């Protein structure tokens, strides 16, 4: 299990104090990792800046060729990477394999995108060409919920647009990202993609550094705000993918059986630790009881345990802090009259296990509804009219995603247009596409990822005016 930093293509031991990576399934120490010193952070940035001088001139075809080789290597190492993800993150092995495959697919998709050059015929007779030029050094700071996939989402758009990268993964889940950067370094020149390890202070040092031209950050709103405030001195471009409190609105004509399965799949995806998971469910009063009971039955059928065990369908929460937060939210909701619809389960004694929990008869004003739970609990709220549910679901500082569930697609689309979120799904939730822009409104983010729009945020426009 590699725990080294990778700087200028070399695996290097960190010089700062050691921190432990804990397996959430049993609370055992999985790895001891020596963090990067500030000197090593600077070294990684210097290396990226040096590599940029050549990498920026790489042809699009060469980049695409390298991407396909990297994706093939990732697929070849799928089982090894998936095992690392399950051990450090907690999700089940099939879910971890999905994460690796989706990552490889995302990289392959990027090879189909072309960085455009816009040509404008100016009335004065001159031609103007607007290029999308690389920015330089991109700092990428990633969270612990989908550690491999989110690192792919940051690193490859940056490399595709000919920037160089320094990534810092979450201190809770660095191992699969180290493996990713190791594979990338088999194919790209030294310094093009580096990884430094450590806690928030290393993320801060990296994202504040004056030689960093862009920051890609996925994580909590609080950290995102801190990064943005520190970007001011050197006017860095910043893209922030932050927290959410996605509402799902189930209309009276929804296909209840299909919706129940899909809603459970989204709300409890990765034990609910997904930014765009469905986090508040609004159900029309005419179908409230039946849908709530179906969700509870699906939750009760889950086998909770160590994600490495093939019998298990539901893994632990990733870390102790999150475990305690989610337990407290459930207890608080129950104390305030929320009805726990799911049966209590016998859970393993060590490990951060919380059985998937459905809570009925809750209202706004209770923390599990108003805050982002980021864990395996779903509050289900009752509504009567569309105007009322839109007012209630939009009354949040978050604006990442939302969904409408109905057989009437035209009506659902009209409701979608009234939701204040960057993404709205109709009859699904959380299923992302590499081709469509994804980003939060309000406090859920700044800028967007994916698609050509997301890709071009890793570039700067340069307009060349050509007078004949
Ligand atoms: P976090 O903000 O605590 O940590 C994220 C990363 O930032 C880690 O690598 C951490 O070490 C680093 N960091 C901490 N303090 C820093 C600082 N001051 N400067 C720079 N870096 C710093 O978030 P988390 O708990 O790891 O992730 C969970 C949160 O992420 C949830 O709120 C979730 O909704 C959000 N999230 C959002 C998306 C999205 O795409 N919108 C995706 C996944 C997760």
């Amino acid at each position: 299990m590699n725990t080294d930093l990778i700087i200028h293509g070399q695996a290097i031991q960190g010089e700062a104090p050691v921190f432990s990576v804990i397996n959430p399934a049993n609370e055992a120490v999985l790895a001891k990792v020596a963090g990067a010193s500030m000197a090593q952070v600077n070294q990684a940035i210097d290396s990226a800046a040096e590599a940029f001088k050549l990498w920026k001139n790489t042809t699009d075809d060469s980049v695409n060729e390298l991407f396909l080789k990297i994706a093939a290597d990732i697929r070849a190492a799928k089982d090894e990477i998936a095992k690392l993800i399950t051990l450090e993150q907690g999700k089940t092995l099939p879910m971890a394999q999905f994460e690796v495959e989706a990552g490889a697919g995302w990289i392959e998709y990027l090879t189909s995108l072309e960085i455009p050059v816009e040509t404008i015929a100016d009335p004065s007779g001159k031609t103007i060409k607007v290029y999308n030029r690389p920015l330089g050094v991109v700092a990428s700071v990633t969270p612990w919920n989908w550690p491999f996939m989110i690192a792919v989402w940051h690193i490859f758009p940056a490399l595709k647009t000919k920037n160089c990268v320094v990534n810092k993964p979450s201190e809770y889940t660095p191992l699969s990202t180290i493996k990713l950067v190791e594979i990338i370094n088999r194919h790209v020149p030294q310094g093009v993609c580096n990884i430094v390890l450590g806690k928030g202070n290393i993320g801060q040092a990296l994202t504040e550094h004056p030689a960093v031209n862009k920051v890609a950050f996925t994580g909590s709103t609080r950290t995102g705000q801190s990064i943005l405030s520190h970007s001011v001195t050197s006017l860095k471009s910043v893209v922030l993918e932050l927290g959410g409190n996605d509402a799902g609105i189930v209309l009276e004509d929804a296909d209840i059986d299909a919706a129940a399965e899909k809603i459970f799949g989204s709300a409890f995806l990765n034990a609910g630790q997904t930014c765009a998971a469905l986090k508040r469910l609004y159900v029309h009063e005419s179908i409230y009881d039946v849908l709530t009971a179906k969700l509870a039955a699906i939750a009760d059928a889950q086998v909770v345990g160590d994600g490495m065990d093939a019998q298990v369908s539901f893994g632990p929460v990733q870390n102790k802090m999150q475990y305690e937060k989610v337990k407290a939210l459930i207890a608080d909701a129950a104390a305030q009259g929320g009805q726990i619809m799911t049966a209590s389960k016998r859970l393993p004694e060590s490990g951060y296990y919380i059985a998937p929990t459905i809570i009925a008869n809750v209202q706004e004003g209770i923390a599990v509804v108003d805050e982002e739970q980021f864990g395996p609990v779903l509050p289900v709220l009752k509504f009567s009219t569309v105007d009322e549910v839109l007012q209630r679901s939009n009354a949040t500082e978050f604006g990442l995603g939302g969904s409408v569930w109905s057989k009437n697609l035209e009506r659902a689309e009209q409701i979608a247009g009234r939701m204040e979120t960057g993404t709205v799904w109709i009859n699904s939730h959380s299923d992302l596409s590499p081709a469509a822009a994804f980003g939060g409104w309000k406090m859920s983010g700044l800028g967007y990822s994916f698609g050509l729009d997301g890709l071009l945020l890793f570039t700067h426009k340069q307009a060349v005016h050509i007078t004949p």
Side-chain angles (χ1 to χ4, degrees):
M1 203 176 283
N2 190 355
T3 57
D4 286 337
L5 327 177
I6 301 175
I7 298 176
H8 204 63
Q10 309 299 318
I12 301 171
Q13 264 260 278
E15 291 166 349
V18 167
F19 61 92
S20 297
V21 178
I22 306 291
N23 180 345
N26 54 23
E27 299 174 59
V29 174
L30 187 60
K32 296 246 184 211
V33 178
S37 63
M38 291 301 166
Q40 288 176 315
V41 172
N42 292 337
Q43 212 183 323
I45 294 168
D46 290 348
S47 167
E50 191 55 36
F52 177 66
K53 291 178 187 163
L54 289 179
W55 181 251
K56 67 180 177 187
N57 299 319
T58 315
T59 64
D60 293 342
D61 286 348
S62 310
V63 172
N64 290 339
E65 254 174 58
L66 295 178
F67 276 23
L68 294 178
K69 287 183 183 159
I70 292 168
D73 276 10
I74 289 171
R75 289 188 192 282
K78 181 173 101 176
D79 289 342
E80 183 194 350
I81 303 169
K83 193 174 160 201
L84 283 176
I85 295 174
T86 295
L87 289 172
E88 68 179 353
Q89 203 283 330
K91 61 176 60 97
T92 60
L93 206 46
M95 188 62 81
Q97 283 166 336
F98 160 78
E99 182 169 352
V100 179
E101 271 172 26
W106 220 273
I107 297 165
E108 288 159 353
Y109 171 78
L110 278 171
T111 66
S112 71
L113 292 182
E114 275 187 33
I115 302 165
V117 180
E118 187 189 0
T119 303
I120 299 161
D122 192 72
S124 67
K126 71 180 176 182
T127 302
I128 308 169
K129 291 187 182 172
V130 182
Y131 292 89
N132 293 286
R133 304 292 195 201
L135 295 167
V137 179
V138 172
S140 146
V141 177
T142 42
W144 46 257
N145 55 344
W146 293 91
F148 185 84
M149 178 109 95
I150 294 176
V152 166
W153 289 349
H154 286 189
I155 292 171
F156 286 86
L159 297 183
K160 166 88 183 176
T161 43
K162 324 284 173 60
N163 299 285
C164 294
V165 178
V166 183
N167 167 267
K168 191 207 80 71
S170 168
E171 57 274 32
Y172 293 108
T173 53
L175 304 174
S176 55
T177 317
I178 297 173
K179 185 72 202 169
L180 172 67
V181 175
E182 197 183 299
I183 292 175
I184 295 170
N185 271 279
R186 289 181 203 155
H187 298 282
V188 301
Q190 290 179 327
V192 168
C193 184
N194 309 273
I195 182 167
V196 293
L197 306 170
K199 300 190 178 181
N201 62 325
I202 295 300
Q204 184 170 344
L206 179 62
T207 54
E208 276 181 19
H209 197 289
V212 164
N213 305 92
K214 177 173 181 95
V215 179
F217 173 74
T218 302
S220 64
T221 297
R222 189 176 32 81
T223 306
Q225 286 172 308
S226 159
I227 288 175
L228 188 61
S229 71
H230 289 121
S231 70
V232 172
T233 31
S234 52
L235 289 184
K236 288 182 208 322
S237 158
V238 175
V239 63
L240 303 175
E241 296 290 356
L242 309 176
N245 195 6
D246 288 16
I249 299 174
V250 189
L251 302 180
E252 61 277 18
D253 69 342
D255 176 339
I256 297 179
D257 286 328
E261 288 290 345
K262 289 192 197 170
I263 287 168
F264 183 85
S266 166
F268 294 93
L269 180 64
N270 196 28
Q273 302 162 116
T274 298
C275 54
L278 198 163
K279 295 184 177 128
R280 294 174 288 156
L281 185 65
Y282 289 88
V283 182
H284 189 265
E285 58 192 0
S286 62
I287 54 167
Y288 183 86
D289 291 341
V290 56
L291 181 54
T292 309
K294 278 186 195 293
L295 286 168
I298 300 169
D300 284 342
Q302 302 304 309
V303 181
V304 181
D306 186 336
M308 293 299 288
D309 179 345
Q311 311 301 316
V312 162
S313 62
F314 207 90
V317 167
Q318 201 281 323
N319 58 68
K320 190 157 195 250
M321 179 188 63
Q322 199 61 24
Y323 169 80
E324 279 168 0
K325 177 185 152 186
V326 175
K327 293 283 276 186
L329 286 173
I330 295 171
D332 173 69
Q336 298 201 54
Q339 192 182 348
I340 310 283
M341 301 298 292
T342 32
S344 76
K345 267 190 163 64
R346 222 184 129 84
L347 299 171
E349 291 202 342
S350 64
Y352 308 131
Y353 295 102
I354 301 176
T357 304
I358 304 289
I359 308 187
N361 298 330
V362 273
Q363 292 289 331
E364 292 85 356
I366 294 183
V368 77
V369 176
D370 294 349
E371 294 174 15
E372 181 187 38
Q373 67 273 50
F374 215 62
V377 51
L378 179 67
V380 189
L381 299 90
K382 202 180 276 185
F383 76 88
S384 305
T385 70
V386 167
D387 284 343
E388 167 214 332
V389 75
L390 280 168
Q391 187 278 322
R392 290 167 65 192
S393 62
N394 282 332
T396 167
E397 62 177 6
F398 293 112
L400 192 56
S403 57
V404 186
W405 303 75
S406 170
K407 288 189 191 128
N408 183 339
L409 300 185
E410 206 177 311
R411 182 172 175 230
E413 222 180 306
Q414 280 168 4
I415 294 170
R418 296 172 65 193
M419 294 182 84
E420 296 166 2
T421 59
T423 301
V424 187
W425 290 270
I426 294 172
N427 295 324
S428 76
H429 201 119
S430 319
D431 41 331
L432 296 170
S433 160
F438 171 71
W441 288 8
K442 306 188 203 171
M443 298 297 274
S444 286
L446 195 65
Y448 26 78
S449 310
F450 314 158
L452 189 59
D453 292 324
L455 184 70
L456 294 183
L457 287 189
F458 286 86
T459 64
H460 201 290
K461 303 266 178 217
Q462 183 188 49
V464 179
H465 293 238
I466 306 161
T467 300

